Amino acid sequence: MITFCTISKAEHDLFGELRVQMVEQDLVTRDITDIPTLRVMSLVPRHCFVPRQYWDVAYADQPLSIGHGQTISQPYVVALMTQYLSVRYGEKVLEIGTGSGYQSAILATLTDQVYSIEIRKELANLARSSLESLGYTAVRVKHGDGYRGWEEFSPFDKIIVTAAADHIPVSLIEQLKEDGRLIMPVGDTSQSQDLMLGEKIGGEFKDSKISSVRFVPLTGEVDKRME
Ligand code: SAH
């Protein structure tokens, strides 16, 4: 498939090779061992989700600006979160912080139901059109504040929050299915945060730290609810 953001077959092939290199050099050599995660990271065209001026570094292991003061996470962090979320086909996933739509595309390659909320209208529109043009029909993008989740389509098997806050929003925990998993960076938004992975077992939510990360802050209602 030649994507809408690739101008020639040679370019398409080059990006494909760079993706495989990224997987081999930056993911396999670290602690990314989950085969479905490695497979989707080698398939989804990250360059299609970053501004044209960054195409030459689209497969380097670094976050990149997507405008509006926001960033697309570095590939390693996307892979780490994907690996721990462990999405299986048929599961319903909620993402808070669509941003470029790259993480949504990764999730949509693993399952057929992805719901994603983005608070900035321009980014929500851009992500929606990138995802549509690339054929990621499993993703439904909504412009809004994800603090209270997406009640209409709840409960979710998996929830991923790709912006940081000092607490996990209660509504998200409520909208998680029994045995469901939630992953989110939690901590001081001006510094690095703890990447927390939680599970709901017997109606109780328990979480633990899996790594240290640095994400842009969750904004909107969360600012009025500092705990
Ligand atoms: N997952 C994204 C990266 C996200 S950056 C990707 O793959 O590109 C974090 C995003 O969260 C930003 O786009 C920001 O605008 C958005 N955001 C911040 N607070 C939010 C909120 N309360 N609800 C929904 N989106 C939010």
Side-chain angles (χ1 to χ4, degrees):
M1 176 184 74
I2 306 276
T3 58
F4 81 101
C5 50
T6 306
I7 51 178
S8 66
K9 179 162 188 317
E11 199 175 44
H12 173 81
D13 292 347
L14 172 66
F15 282 129
E17 279 166 32
L18 290 174
R19 260 195 311 280
V20 171
Q21 249 177 50
M22 170 188 86
V23 168
E24 286 172 356
Q25 289 172 10
D26 303 317
L27 306 183
V28 173
T29 52
R30 297 171 81 179
D31 50 353
I32 309 299
T33 52
D34 179 54
I35 300 296
T37 299
L38 293 170
R39 192 178 67 83
V40 295
M41 293 299 294
S42 72
L43 286 176
V44 177
R46 188 171 188 256
H47 69 279
C48 298
F49 296 92
V50 304
R52 180 77 181 85
Q53 80 224 58
Y54 299 130
W55 278 16
D56 55 339
V57 286
Y59 296 101
D61 194 29
Q62 62 186 61
L64 292 169
S65 165
I66 51 170
H68 308 276
Q70 306 304 310
T71 51
I72 176 172
S73 304
Q74 76 183 92
Y76 171 71
V77 171
V78 172
L80 189 70
M81 291 176 92
T82 305
Q83 170 166 282
Y84 279 107
L85 210 56
S86 188
V87 174
R88 295 296 169 247
Y89 190 79
E91 288 185 337
K92 204 197 290 182
V93 183
L94 174 66
E95 177 189 33
I96 309 300
T98 320
S100 67
Y102 176 63
Q103 175 78 69
S104 327
I106 292 280
L107 297 168
T109 312
L110 291 164
T111 188
D112 59 348
Q113 303 171 73
V114 179
Y115 295 88
S116 188
I117 308 178
E118 169 56 50
I119 203 163
R120 287 167 200 265
K121 195 167 190 186
E122 301 84 352
L123 288 177
N125 289 342
L126 185 63
R128 197 181 288 118
S129 81
S130 306
L131 289 161
E132 268 173 27
S133 322
L134 289 160
Y136 292 105
T137 51
V139 189
R140 187 138 165 193
V141 177
K142 173 166 100 166
H143 166 231
D145 188 334
Y147 188 80
R148 287 173 186 258
W150 198 337
E151 180 91 56
E152 189 187 349
F153 297 106
S154 69
F156 300 95
D157 296 284
K158 305 284 161 71
I159 299 182
I160 175 170
V161 185
T162 60
D166 69 344
H167 64 278
I168 299 177
V170 176
S171 302
L172 299 186
I173 296 174
E174 284 169 0
Q175 291 177 20
L176 191 62
K177 274 188 199 173
E178 176 69 18
D179 294 325
R181 283 190 181 191
L182 181 152
I183 195 162
M184 173 176 174
V186 182
D188 185 341
T189 54
S190 63
Q191 295 176 16
S192 69
Q193 304 95 32
D194 294 340
L195 184 61
M196 303 300 291
L197 177 70
E199 234 170 326
K200 203 188 249 186
I201 298 167
E204 233 182 282
F205 182 77
K206 288 210 177 96
D207 61 350
S208 57
K209 175 181 173 175
I210 51 174
S211 179
S212 278
V213 287
R214 186 171 263 241
F215 273 80
V216 294
L218 196 70
T219 56
E221 185 172 345
V222 70
D223 293 332
K224 295 181 219 122
R225 296 180 181 268
M226 300 300 265
E227 277 169 12

